[in-house]
Amino acid sequence: MTGLLFAGYVAVFAASSLACLAGLAHVGRVDDPDTRRGLAALLVTSGGWAAAQAGFLVAPGTDLKVAVYTVGLVCGIATVGAWLYFCSAYTGRAVHRDPTVRRVALGVFLAVVAVKLTNPVHGFYFGVERVSAPFPHLAVDHYAVHWVVMGTAYALAAVGYFMLFELLGQTGYDTRPLLALVAVTGLPVAADVIGASTSVLPELSYESLGVAAFALGVLFVFLDRFQAVQLAGDVEDAVVFLTDEGDVRDANERAVALFPDLDGATGQPLSAVVPAVAARLGGEQDVLELARGGETRYYQVSATPFTFGGTRVGEMVVVNDVTSEEDARRQIQRQNERLGQFASVVSHDLRNPLNVAAGRVDLERERHASEHLDAAARALDRMEQIIEGVLMLAREGEDIGERSRASLASLAETAWASVAAERATLVVDADLAFDADADRVVQLLENLYRNSVEHGGPTVTVQVGVLDDGSGFYVEDDGPGIPAEHRDGVFEMGYTTSDGTGLGLSIVDTIASAHGWDVSVTAAANSGSGARFEVRGVESAD
């Protein structure tokens, strides 16, 4: 019976060691390199510790047993460093990379190892004696220094647990699985105490079994969840993890609170559990409207690939509350619609009497020439331009149509064809391919051309080219230019220094902003005089 019990103890430690070493083949599934290194080190040191315990039991002779046991103690203290490295990397901290921390940790490790290795000299760490119960073996009597070191090691291990619990709490994940692993890790400590104070268990070091169980639990049981939590570490929103087939793999507490059907839905298709969310994935509309707490709230649904070892195995779906942004967008949309309707009505009501007045003036000009009639005709034309400009701003606002691949040179020529400037010259210096609403860009260029002709005269030369750093394009002329003190206000609605409407450059600014570009004015670089308008933030499609 005692022989069978002895074989059982050896088998338990040996199996723990082999399981840890076998687990190394699966560490590659961990995506983050630092986390992968930390977990691999934890498996190696835990496996080495358990192997030393098995070797201690079967080794012949007291001296060899003590030597093997001491090796196990060194592996045991090394697991603390591997554990803290893993926790720091897993939770996104940089403690494991801090040179000072690493130097201090190495110094403490070497000091503790020195105490353990020199135990045969000073005898402060442990002693041994042969006993016969519950089977013949060399019992280890741990002294005060051992218990101090062990207590310090568990205190440091608690720091790692704190890191993990903090991350789990931040991501809204259930901490009970981690508590179960902590309990498994702590059980061998009770075995140590029982072995030291009673004869029920052999007086051995059982901690290696708990550490090995934790490392294996992380690797084989909770790896998917641990990696999912790591990916969601900086996400404060509802998160759902899917398999590559679209089935629910996991979800944090925020997601379950938002969609209660996710509770216990592991393995079911997302389209069956939360069809509204599934419909937003890959669809044209990514905003979900939900009634929550007696009010309507809006959520943006987005998905990113979820990988293990560089291989895609699913998706991480994030549901982000965008109620404030969506309310603001819808309010602006309603205001723009009302403004467009108002502008249409006003322009229609203005055009009727304006057309009547223009017709009467033309009839009178046919009957006899008069400078007063010419001035009236110019004023009526200017009123027509103002109406067109206001109507464009009101209807178009900052909305743009579908973007497509555009050529700067082609758009420049198209816009020039619609500008009444027979004696002016257009020079297209270079081409640039980019994605934009081509019609709106033509409007932008038309207004810049008209500004050049209006201020530079009928024989002005307008040049279009690409900025030196490739960040956009420019339009410049050889006219009189714009004084530096006036450049800040030229894009304001109604600003003009001539008889123009003061809306052209405001339209330019509106179209540029709608594309996410910035437009500015400076002195012409090539002509030595004139104005130069630079449009930046244009991403080249080359």
Side-chain angles (χ1 to χ4, degrees):
M1 182 66 179
T2 57
L4 184 62
L5 185 60
F6 174 79
Y9 269 83
V10 174
V12 168
F13 284 109
S16 296
S17 175
L18 292 175
C20 288
L21 297 179
L24 289 173
H26 300 271
V27 172
R29 295 171 57 200
V30 179
D31 213 28
D32 180 67
D34 280 359
T35 305
R36 184 167 59 247
R37 282 190 289 268
L39 185 55
L42 185 61
L43 287 169
V44 169
T45 53
S46 300
W49 194 3
Q53 294 301 309
F56 167 72
L57 289 173
V58 301
T62 300
D63 292 341
L64 184 57
K65 284 180 178 291
V66 170
V68 173
Y69 186 78
T70 303
V71 170
L73 292 178
V74 173
C75 291
I77 196 64
T79 61
V80 178
W83 163 248
L84 291 176
Y85 187 101
F86 165 78
C87 292
S88 174
Y90 173 74
T91 56
R93 291 172 167 83
V95 178
H96 60 291
R97 292 182 172 273
D98 189 306
T100 301
V101 173
R102 296 174 75 153
R103 284 193 293 269
V104 171
L106 179 61
V108 172
F109 172 76
L110 293 177
V112 173
V113 169
V115 172
K116 293 181 178 185
L117 293 178
T118 57
N119 182 71
V121 177
H122 54 71
F124 293 151
Y125 206 87
F126 67 89
V128 295
E129 62 174 329
R130 289 202 167 270
V131 296
S132 57
F135 50 78
H137 67 285
L138 191 67
V140 180
D141 186 13
H142 295 112
Y143 300 146
V145 175
H146 165 81
W147 295 108
V148 170
V149 171
M150 190 182 77
T152 304
Y154 272 93
L156 291 173
V159 174
Y161 288 126
F162 172 78
M163 296 181 191
L164 295 181
F165 278 113
E166 183 181 47
L167 179 61
L168 288 169
Q170 289 174 349
T171 53
Y173 269 81
D174 187 0
T175 58
R176 286 174 295 183
L178 180 60
L179 281 172
L181 279 179
V182 172
V184 170
T185 308
L187 282 177
V189 179
D192 275 3
V193 175
I194 293 173
S197 57
T198 69
S199 60
V200 175
L201 294 175
E203 194 171 354
L204 302 172
S205 179
Y206 296 92
E207 296 100 316
S208 62
L209 298 177
V211 176
F214 184 90
L216 293 170
V218 170
L219 184 62
F220 290 105
V221 181
F222 296 101
L223 179 61
D224 288 0
R225 169 164 291 190
F226 270 39
Q227 184 139 305
V229 172
Q230 187 177 32
L231 282 176
D234 296 326
V235 179
E236 298 180 355
D237 306 302
V239 180
V240 182
F241 294 93
L242 307 179
T243 66
D244 207 27
E245 291 74 29
D247 297 335
V248 176
R249 174 192 297 238
D250 206 348
N252 66 1
E253 290 183 358
R254 295 182 183 91
V256 174
L258 190 60
F259 306 105
D261 289 342
L262 286 170
D263 190 13
T266 301
Q268 300 180 35
L270 181 67
S271 57
V273 180
V274 194
V277 173
R280 298 304 187 277
L281 296 177
E284 295 182 0
Q285 176 61 263
D286 63 351
V287 176
L288 177 64
E289 181 178 335
L290 297 175
R292 291 292 183 269
E295 62 177 348
T296 300
R297 302 199 68 81
Y298 301 94
Y299 298 87
Q300 186 176 44
V301 181
S302 60
T304 55
F306 182 47
T307 63
F308 282 147
T311 302
R312 172 171 170 154
V313 295
E315 284 185 318
M316 181 175 75
V317 179
V318 179
V319 183
N320 177 29
D321 191 331
V322 292
T323 302
S324 299
E325 295 86 344
E326 185 66 15
D327 284 343
R329 187 192 69 79
R330 294 186 178 219
Q331 182 178 1
I332 292 173
Q333 184 179 16
R334 290 192 296 267
Q335 290 175 345
N336 286 340
E337 290 173 354
R338 289 195 295 266
L339 182 59
Q341 294 170 357
F342 171 76
S344 296
V345 171
V346 170
S347 64
H348 179 269
D349 291 345
L350 285 176
R351 276 200 175 98
N352 285 337
L354 187 64
N355 290 335
V356 172
R360 297 290 182 135
V361 169
D362 288 341
L363 288 174
E364 284 299 314
R365 292 175 72 188
E366 291 176 0
R367 294 174 59 183
H368 61 277
S370 170
E371 61 178 308
H372 300 296
L373 291 175
D374 292 341
R378 288 194 298 271
L380 291 172
D381 287 342
R382 184 165 184 269
M383 290 177 64
E384 176 67 25
Q385 294 173 7
I386 292 175
I387 291 173
E388 288 295 334
V390 171
L391 192 59
M392 178 185 292
L393 285 173
R395 284 179 173 170
E396 303 291 348
E398 293 192 357
D399 293 330
I400 60 173
E402 183 178 353
R403 297 186 187 224
S404 60
R405 187 60 48 83
S407 163
L408 176 62
S410 177
L411 297 181
E413 296 289 353
T414 301
W416 186 256
S418 64
V419 177
E422 293 80 4
R423 298 166 58 192
T425 302
L426 173 68
V427 177
V428 180
D429 184 57
D431 195 11
L432 177 68
F434 55 94
D435 293 329
D437 180 343
D439 292 337
R440 299 301 301 277
V441 177
V442 168
Q443 292 175 355
L444 179 149
L445 293 170
E446 287 174 350
N447 280 280
L448 289 177
Y449 293 163
R450 292 191 183 102
N451 180 77
S452 295
V453 173
E454 181 179 334
H455 296 279
T459 60
V460 69
T461 296
V462 180
Q463 183 175 0
V464 177
V466 180
L467 296 174
D468 291 339
D469 59 4
S471 63
F473 59 88
Y474 66 85
V475 176
E476 71 171 47
D477 58 55
D478 59 356
I482 300 174
E485 61 271 18
H486 294 162
R487 292 172 187 166
D488 291 339
V490 296
F491 297 106
E492 295 178 4
M493 189 177 299
Y495 181 90
T496 182
T497 57
S498 64
D499 292 332
T501 65
L503 298 175
L505 294 182
S506 178
I507 293 173
V508 169
D509 185 54
T510 298
I511 296 173
S513 297
H515 282 84
W517 305 336
D518 295 318
V519 60
S520 60
V521 61
T522 184
N526 298 318
S527 64
S529 63
R532 177 184 174 102
F533 292 88
E534 296 182 345
V535 181
R536 295 184 178 275
V538 182
E539 295 185 5
S540 173
D542 292 337

